[in-house]
Amino acid sequence: MRSTTADPQAGLRALFLGLLVVIFAGALLLLFEGEAVGASGQQEMEAVVVSPGETLWEIADRFSPESVDLRVVVRELVELNGLESKVLRPGQVLQVPTARF
């Protein structure tokens, strides 16, 4: 019969290898977390054509979850689109982030 002795270093090597796998997997998750961001590092945008009578508030409301403060979204839309006024014209095209809101 063969005598088997446990290598005390084998357990430590297995633990170390397991920790490396967990760290690597975590790093990959963090790297690909912002999938809505394109390869260039910019957010994906959707072009929205303003309908007659439509307001920034309505557009912000349409593209935002209920938990988001619409004042913040409107301010961000103004900045993103370089608007000098919050008054919109029919046919005007606005860029709206698709994943941010």
Side-chain angles (χ1 to χ4, degrees):
M1 201 179 267
R2 193 184 290 189
S3 171
T4 58
T5 52
D7 180 10
Q9 297 296 323
L12 289 175
R13 282 192 295 267
L15 178 64
F16 181 72
L17 182 60
L19 285 173
L20 281 177
V21 168
V22 169
I23 290 170
F24 182 72
L28 284 176
L29 284 173
L30 287 174
L31 183 64
F32 294 108
E33 181 179 275
E35 198 169 301
V37 176
S40 65
Q42 304 230 345
Q43 285 184 326
E44 293 181 17
M45 299 284 189
E46 180 176 333
V48 175
V49 179
V50 177
S51 299
E54 194 168 32
T55 67
L56 269 176
W57 290 90
E58 292 168 332
I59 294 170
D61 187 40
R62 186 171 26 153
F63 286 90
S64 304
E66 289 184 24
S67 61
V68 175
D69 185 349
L70 289 182
R71 294 173 294 186
V72 174
V73 177
V74 167
R75 191 175 324 124
E76 199 164 324
L77 288 174
V78 168
E79 290 174 14
L80 283 172
N81 289 282
L83 301 177
E84 294 180 15
S85 169
K86 292 181 183 171
V87 177
L88 301 178
R89 297 177 320 277
Q92 185 175 4
V93 179
L94 299 178
Q95 295 299 316
V96 180
T98 56
R100 175 76 162 76
F101 299 128

